[in-house]
Amino acid sequence: MADRKPIESWLTDMDGVLIHEGVPIPGADAFLKKLRESGRPFLVLTNNSIYTPRDLHARLRRMGLDVPIDNIWTSALATAQFLDDQRPGGTAYVIGEAGVTTALHDIGYILTDHEPDYVVLGETRTYSFEAMTKAVRLINDGARFICTNPDETGPSTEGPLPATGAVAALITKATGKQPYFAGKPNPLMMRTGLNTIGAHSETSAMIGDRMDTDVLAGMEAGMQTFLVLTGLTRPEQVENFPYRPSQVVDSIADLVDRI
């Protein structure tokens, strides 16, 4: 097998890699600082579609992590890019927060509940029965079903919360229609992200804390993959999967010298 080319650009997940429960993981600041100083293209990715890149920039800044707005890539942005490629200037009924509604507004989409081209399901902390019922009826009437990400639960200080994937399963059960998921592990999110920074998968790496989303998406997009053990995946769980990361490291601190 031919040797991999040197890594010239980096993609990294946010939760579990750079931060954990609102606190920076040791080494995250040094990693981001070295990336900025190197001038290498990079993106911080998240499947969470609640926040806009500007929101996330401000939240990270308050934690002491400086990530420029243009270096943040969310599942909401990937969803908007996908819809813009598929059906420019279309219409959508959206269940979600500012992250996804702003992304769709920015590509020129009209948000409506009158015969929309798409029903777009994103993350929100206020899923309503009324909104889900409307989504079911619109999909039954012919709207195409799109989800920002397949995550079934999300973290909170009180414990797991139902997330987009769980609500999508409810709508699928009611309609018989499976959604298209734009976020990880769909390599589409990686490829569109790479395109935004002018990077190529052969010379790019993905850092994540989950085998079933970060590593899988990076691998299927043709990138080198690094699994960190500061998030959800434990060392003994790696062997449970039929694929492996390029390398397992303790934390983001172990990759600072790789830049």
Side-chain angles (χ1 to χ4, degrees):
M1 183 180 293
D3 291 337
R4 293 294 303 243
K5 295 181 179 179
I7 298 170
E8 296 177 0
S9 54
W10 292 84
L11 275 63
T12 176
D13 188 35
M14 187 170 66
D15 293 304
V17 179
L18 301 178
I19 60 174
H20 180 68
E21 293 184 353
V23 178
I25 290 171
D29 185 40
F31 182 82
L32 292 169
K33 184 173 184 288
K34 194 165 183 183
L35 273 178
R36 294 193 308 271
E37 292 173 347
S38 72
R40 295 184 185 279
F42 75 95
L43 282 178
V44 172
L45 284 77
T46 177
N47 253 3
N48 189 318
S49 63
I50 290 178
Y51 303 107
T52 67
R54 189 170 64 178
D55 296 333
L56 291 171
H57 165 77
R59 289 166 65 88
L60 291 168
R61 193 75 177 265
R62 286 196 297 271
M63 299 177 203
L65 300 178
D66 185 9
V67 182
I69 294 172
D70 291 342
N71 294 98
I72 297 173
W73 190 246
T74 71
S75 64
L77 293 176
T79 300
Q81 181 65 63
F82 170 73
L83 294 182
D84 193 35
D85 290 341
Q86 291 281 306
R87 190 180 291 264
T91 59
Y93 174 69
V94 179
I95 299 175
E97 302 287 345
V100 64
T101 57
T102 300
L104 291 174
H105 272 303
D106 287 348
I107 61 164
Y109 255 57
I110 295 172
L111 306 188
T112 179
D113 61 0
H114 179 68
E115 299 182 355
D117 298 318
Y118 298 97
V119 166
V120 179
L121 175 66
E123 208 78 54
T124 177
R125 294 290 182 261
T126 56
Y127 289 113
S128 78
F129 186 77
E130 180 183 0
M132 287 186 281
T133 300
K134 188 179 290 291
V136 165
R137 291 171 180 170
L138 291 172
I139 291 167
N140 282 337
D141 287 342
R144 300 150 190 87
F145 188 17
I146 303 291
C147 287
T148 58
N149 66 85
D151 298 39
E152 294 168 353
T153 60
S156 79
T157 54
E158 294 83 21
L161 297 171
T164 310
V167 179
L170 182 154
I171 294 174
T172 292
K173 196 72 174 177
T175 62
K177 301 289 179 61
Q178 294 284 345
Y180 181 78
F181 293 104
K184 297 176 295 180
N186 189 343
L188 172 83
M189 183 171 175
M190 303 299 190
R191 295 189 182 280
T192 53
L194 289 172
N195 288 342
T196 66
I197 58 173
H200 194 283
S201 59
E202 276 190 316
T203 54
S204 298
M206 174 64 196
I207 309 165
D209 70 309
R210 292 185 60 158
M211 289 289 292
D212 57 346
T213 55
D214 306 317
V215 170
L216 180 58
M219 180 191 71
E220 291 189 344
M223 294 186 283
Q224 292 189 55
T225 55
F226 293 90
L227 177 73
V228 297
L229 301 176
T230 48
L232 292 176
T233 305
R234 305 267 55 85
E236 63 274 11
Q237 294 175 314
V238 176
E239 294 298 331
N240 296 336
F241 293 85
Y243 50 86
R244 294 182 57 82
S246 305
Q247 189 176 343
V248 179
V249 297
D250 288 333
S251 76
I252 191 74
D254 298 307
L255 297 174
V256 175
D257 291 337
R258 293 294 299 266
I259 300 172

